[in-house]
Amino acid sequence: MTDAPLRHGRPWPVMGALGFAGAALVVLTGREIAAAYPAHLPMVILLAAVSLGAGLFLGARLVRWLAANNDPADAMAPALGFVAASLPLSLLLSRLGRGLAATAPAAFFPPGLATALLAGLVPLGLALGAAGALAVAAARRAEPTQPRKIWLYAGGGAVLGALFIVLVAVPKLSPINACLDIGIGCAAIGILSAAAAPAGNRNYETWLSLLAIVFVLLLPLSGLFDDKTNAWCEPAAAPAMPATPLALPAPAAPAAP
């Protein structure tokens, strides 16, 4: 019975990882969109909060039945895996949505702004909301007398995530590289959570390790991914092809003998 308190899936580092990943990607995505639409910064902030909040709410609602009828500590590891996979995916969806809506007519604000935020932050919010609800439920079962402890971990992780983007990712890493690095960290925390889960399912540790290896293998290609996906964002910036072939210069007349 002495090791019973240890079989709670480690919800506190899980919540710290969620705070880190969520804040990092919100700052990274918001920075890109604000740079693309500098005249609409208040709208960027408002729509980012609405998009992320809607995703968090829906994600928490989706897993509420799981946390009520099962031990949530058993599901935190796969939830962290989904969070890790959602990080680069959300950034790519944001860029794709901005590019697809770049040429649409604007009524009150550029449609690419709303599309980029919805496509990028709603999927991220779904993954964070589901994993966060499981972590909160697991923490309440492990230590019912300390409900605020988990929020301290989440807040600390969020501050570190925002600083990571500003101080490390922006000057030294490409955005896709930063997403992959954070995803590797989330997978590592998921492995630790799976090792301390009550069910002790080793399959979670295996596929989270594989996910981390895939992210490591993709790191050298992150610069190429950034170059290609940045072209999605500004399709009008591509050089226009001439409507007719360029006329070849006329050959010079032969010199008189």
Side-chain angles (χ1 to χ4, degrees), residues 3-12 14 66-67 70-78 134-135 137-139 141-142 190-202 204-205:
D3 61 345
L6 300 178
R7 311 300 297 179
H8 47 55
R10 299 187 176 98
W12 299 279
V14 168
L66 181 62
N70 302 276
D71 194 332
D74 290 328
M76 283 193 299
L134 293 171
R141 291 192 180 193
I191 293 171
L192 294 176
S193 177
N201 194 331
R202 307 291 295 184
Y204 295 153
E205 300 177 51

Side-chain angles (χ1 to χ4, degrees), residues 121-217:
L121 295 184
V122 171
L124 174 69
L126 284 171
L128 291 175
L134 293 171
V136 170
R140 287 176 176 173
R141 291 192 180 193
E143 293 187 12
T145 59
Q146 298 186 18
R148 298 181 181 178
K149 181 178 177 181
I150 196 167
W151 301 112
L152 293 177
Y153 277 82
V159 171
L160 293 177
L163 292 177
F164 171 77
I165 296 300
V166 174
L167 301 179
V168 178
V170 171
K172 298 182 179 180
L173 303 174
S174 67
I176 298 293
N177 191 308
C179 290
L180 294 175
D181 287 338
I182 300 170
I184 293 170
C186 289
I189 297 296
I191 293 171
L192 294 176
S193 177
N201 194 331
R202 307 291 295 184
N203 292 332
Y204 295 153
E205 300 177 51
T206 301
W207 74 263
L208 284 171
S209 300
L210 292 175
L211 179 63
I213 292 173
V214 170
F215 279 11
V216 170
L217 295 177

Side-chain angles (χ1 to χ4, degrees), residues 21-126:
L25 197 66
V26 168
V27 172
L28 192 63
T29 304
R31 180 178 176 275
E32 280 196 359
I33 298 174
Y37 304 101
H40 300 83
L41 183 58
M43 187 62 66
V44 170
I45 296 174
L46 176 61
L47 287 178
V50 172
S51 301
L52 185 65
L56 289 171
F57 175 78
L58 292 175
R61 295 286 296 181
L62 286 175
V63 299
R64 178 170 293 184
W65 65 271
L66 181 62
N69 302 321
N70 302 276
D71 194 332
D74 290 328
M76 283 193 299
L80 266 178
F82 287 117
V83 170
S86 73
L87 298 175
L89 178 63
S90 295
L91 184 62
L92 294 177
L93 288 175
S94 175
R95 291 178 174 181
L96 179 61
R98 178 152 51 103
L100 291 176
T103 58
F108 301 102
F109 55 86
L113 188 156
T115 305
L117 289 171
L118 289 171
L121 295 184
V122 171
L124 174 69
L126 284 171

Side-chain angles (χ1 to χ4, degrees), residues 235-243:
M241 297 297 294

